[in-house]
């Protein structure tokens, strides 16, 4: 019942490539689509904000539901593959409808169109993302090999974000050289095309070429979603991981939401804002392998703490950045890229270890459920980051696009530097004392493997 000790690199690359379209879809939904529908299509900021907020509320229901159901699915194709295959057409069709409504003969989609297709999109996305996360957690059974799997996913995620960020800039350059006016609809449609062009082949390759590990024997006692959620919530190790990841994501999103404002307004270089933001993601591609090696040496929890403390230092160093000190800002941006996702990588790997511990204690495999809760934690942190950072700098007097007083610019700088620093410091503190190390997990796996082998009927 145990997964292979070390997976071939090519198989991991094929599997992780699914993260490219999934990550590439997330950024436009947060950055490009809301202003496109609100301004260019005339729906208004209030209506679009409400539509996006309510559509994401579905995640609180669909994420754990899909997680539990995929845990309990038994088929000759596996537990996760049927859910991914079923979610794929929903995801693809909704992507085309949202990013390129003209394909459906709709020139100016209204609020009803956006609302319906966003719900379909998020349902399809959940049916893919949660089973893929659980599958990744179970693809390897060994302590460090799980970190290796997550590293491949992190590199693919960084690549997907980088490519989708480059695409609008490339289209702008092509349009400028051809003397064509800017076309926001073309940019959005191109992003949708990128998502679909990478999704279809990576989906087919993953489903065809990567095998799921055999499902563990089902528990004789039938559980309920409510009971599973209650058991998961009582696990102190899971609470450590979830709260730490919330703080990690909070720090990352506070920085991201204020980055362009800081470079454009405080540094006085709006021409460099997009390029520096892109630079961070360029170096983020190299972050995963670096922190994997550190995790091999220190163990997951210590590596996560080290990564968070490095990010604390980087963000505190931003206090020394002043207008004109561009080399220092560039250096800190590169350093941020190289530390990017260090905590997330280790924490995701630790979720799978906790799932093993819970299965040993209860007989229930809750891997899908635990990753669905982990996903919801990150989404909650995303909402809190935007809901806190932007109003806070506004209260301090900062106004985007206006001439701001020195006091307002100082307030922007303090929130941009201290907000992420405090969040990453909290993340390091929250994950400290995590007791499930390599030796403890190896003992859990020995007991699970022995019990699974005994449960297989003799031929």
């Amino acid at each position: 019942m145990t997964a292979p000790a070390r997976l071939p690199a090519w198989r991991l690359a094929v599997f992780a490539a699914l993260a490219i379209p999934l990550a590439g879809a997330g950024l436009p939904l947060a950055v490009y689509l809301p202003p496109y529908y609100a301004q260019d299509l005339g729906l208004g900021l209030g209506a679009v904000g409400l539509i996006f907020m309510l559509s994401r509320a579905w995640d609180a229901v669909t994420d754990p539901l899909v997680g539990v159901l995929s845990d309990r699915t038994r088929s000759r194709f596996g537990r996760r593959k049927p859910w991914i295959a079923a979610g794929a057409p929903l995801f693809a069709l909704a992507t085309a409808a949202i990013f390129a409504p003209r394909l459906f003969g709709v020139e100016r989609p209204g609020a009803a169109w956006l609302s319906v297709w966003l719900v379909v999109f998020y349902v399809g996305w959940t049916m893919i993302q949660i089973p893929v996360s659980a599958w990744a957690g179970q693809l390897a059974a060994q302590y460090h090999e799980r970190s290796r799997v997550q590293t491949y996913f992190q590199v693919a995620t960084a690549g997907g974000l980088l490519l989708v960020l480059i695409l609008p800039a490339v289209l702008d350059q092509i349009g400028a050289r051809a003397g064509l006016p800017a076309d926001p609809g073309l940019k959005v449609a191109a992003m949708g095309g990128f998502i679909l062009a990478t999704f279809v082949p990576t989906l087919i390759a993953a489903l065809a070429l990567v095998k799921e590990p055999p499902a563990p024997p089902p528990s004789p006692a039938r559980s309920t979603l409510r009971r599973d959620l209650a058991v998961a919530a009582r696990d102190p190790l899971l609470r450590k991981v979830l709260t730490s990841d919330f703080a990690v994501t909070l720090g990352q999103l506070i920085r991201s939401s204020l980055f362009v404002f800081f470079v454009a307004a405080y540094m006085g270089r709006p021409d460099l804002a997009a390029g520096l933001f892109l630079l961070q993601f360029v170096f983020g591609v190299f972050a995963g392998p670096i922190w994997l090696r550190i995790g091999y040496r220190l163990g997951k929890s210590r590596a996560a703490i080290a990564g968070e403390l490095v990010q604390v230092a980087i963000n505190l160093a931003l206090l020394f950045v002043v207008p004109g000190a561009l080399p220092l800002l560039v250096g800190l941006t590169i350093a941020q890229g190289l530390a990017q996702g260090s905590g997330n990588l280790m924490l995701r790997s630790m979720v799978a270890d906790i799932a093993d511990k819970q299965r040993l204690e209860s007989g229930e495999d809750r891997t899908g459920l635990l990753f669905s809760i982990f996903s919801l934690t990150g989404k909650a942190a995303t909402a809190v980051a935007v809901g806190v950072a932007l109003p806070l700098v506004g209260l301090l007097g900062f106004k985007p696009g206006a001439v701001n007083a020195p006091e307002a610019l100082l307030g922007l700088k303090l929130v941009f530097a201290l907000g992420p620093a405090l969040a990453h410091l909290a993340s390091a503190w929250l994950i400290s004392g995590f007791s499930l190390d390599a030796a403890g997990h190896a003992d859990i796996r020995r007991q699970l493997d022995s019990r699974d082998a005994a449960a297989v009927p003799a031929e």
Side-chain angles (χ1 to χ4, degrees):
M1 294 294 179
T2 304
R6 186 170 178 82
L7 296 158
W10 73 267
R11 198 178 298 275
L12 272 182
V14 167
F15 182 55
L18 259 177
I20 295 174
L22 295 178
L27 191 65
L29 283 169
V31 177
Y32 291 99
L33 279 176
Y36 172 65
Y37 273 87
Q39 298 172 19
D40 298 290
L41 295 181
L43 296 187
L45 287 171
V48 170
L50 182 63
I51 290 169
F52 272 84
M53 182 182 72
L54 292 178
S55 63
R56 290 314 301 260
W58 275 101
D59 291 336
V61 176
T62 58
D63 278 18
L65 186 61
V66 169
V68 166
L69 291 177
S70 71
D71 284 338
R72 297 176 182 175
T73 297
R74 295 294 187 275
S75 78
R76 67 188 186 93
F77 301 105
R79 290 186 292 169
R80 317 301 177 183
K81 286 184 179 183
W83 286 92
I84 297 168
L90 299 179
F91 177 84
L93 188 61
T95 296
I98 294 169
F99 285 82
R102 292 175 184 173
L103 292 175
F104 297 79
V106 179
E107 289 294 326
R108 295 188 68 83
W113 177 275
L114 179 61
S115 301
V116 170
W117 284 113
L118 267 181
V119 169
V120 175
F121 177 89
Y122 283 125
V123 169
W125 198 6
T126 294
M127 291 174 67
I128 299 167
Q129 184 187 41
I130 299 304
V132 164
S133 297
W135 186 1
Q138 295 178 313
L139 196 58
Q142 293 72 29
Y143 182 81
H144 287 303
E145 186 68 5
R146 283 178 169 167
S147 297
R148 181 168 169 256
V149 173
Q150 296 300 335
T151 298
Y152 273 77
F153 260 84
Q154 181 168 309
V155 171
T157 297
L161 292 172
L162 179 61
L163 290 171
V164 83
L165 277 171
I166 290 174
L167 189 57
V170 171
L171 291 175
D172 281 341
Q173 290 296 318
I174 294 173
R177 290 180 181 179
L180 299 173
D183 185 352
L186 177 61
K187 285 184 187 178
V188 170
M191 291 179 187
F194 167 80
I195 295 165
L196 293 176
T198 54
F199 175 65
V200 173
T202 55
L203 173 76
I204 294 172
L207 294 180
L209 300 177
V210 184
K211 292 183 179 180
E212 282 192 50
S219 171
R222 197 65 174 170
S223 186
T224 64
L225 175 58
R226 179 179 294 182
R227 180 178 176 277
D228 284 341
L229 285 170
V231 171
R234 289 196 299 267
D235 192 317
L237 294 184
L238 183 64
R239 289 200 300 268
K240 275 184 169 292
V241 169
L242 294 179
T243 53
S244 181
D245 184 69
F246 180 92
V248 172
T249 307
L250 184 66
Q252 292 169 338
L253 268 295
I254 290 174
R255 177 184 172 89
S256 295
S257 64
L258 298 178
F259 189 91
V260 171
F261 294 143
F262 180 78
V263 178
Y266 181 82
M267 298 297 292
R269 296 300 302 268
D271 56 314
L272 297 179
L276 284 174
F277 192 62
L278 184 63
L279 182 67
Q280 177 177 317
F281 285 93
V282 170
F283 282 90
V285 174
F286 304 101
I290 293 172
W291 289 98
L292 175 64
R293 294 295 175 184
I294 295 172
Y296 284 167
R297 183 174 295 273
L298 299 181
K300 296 176 187 178
S301 62
R302 291 180 179 178
I305 292 171
E308 294 309 289
L309 294 179
V310 167
Q311 297 207 55
V312 170
I314 292 169
N315 284 284
L316 289 178
L318 288 168
L319 294 172
F320 299 97
V321 174
V322 295
L326 193 59
L328 178 57
L329 179 60
V330 171
L332 291 174
T333 301
I334 293 172
Q336 181 66 40
L338 294 174
Q340 186 169 288
S342 51
N344 304 101
L345 189 161
M346 296 300 160
L347 293 170
R348 290 186 69 85
S349 181
M350 290 155 75
V351 172
D353 297 341
I354 295 170
D356 283 344
K357 169 181 165 291
Q358 289 198 5
R359 184 161 78 88
L360 181 63
E361 293 170 348
S362 68
E364 289 280 348
D365 179 24
R366 301 189 182 95
T367 306
L369 175 62
L370 298 193
F371 274 101
S372 72
I373 299 172
F374 187 85
S375 173
L376 283 176
T377 304
K379 292 170 184 175
T382 301
V384 171
V386 177
V388 170
L390 297 182
L392 182 56
V393 296
L395 287 173
L396 295 173
F398 177 74
K399 296 180 180 179
V403 177
N404 288 278
E407 294 80 7
L409 293 175
L410 177 60
L412 171 64
K413 175 182 177 177
L414 291 176
V415 176
F416 180 67
L418 294 179
L422 292 173
H424 288 296
L425 184 62
S427 176
W429 175 72
L430 287 165
I431 201 61
S432 62
F434 187 86
S435 58
L436 185 52
D437 57 10
H441 181 256
D443 182 58
I444 288 172
R445 286 304 316 182
R446 280 193 294 270
Q447 294 182 64
L448 283 175
D449 292 343
S450 175
R451 189 170 71 185
D452 291 348
V456 176
E459 296 183 359

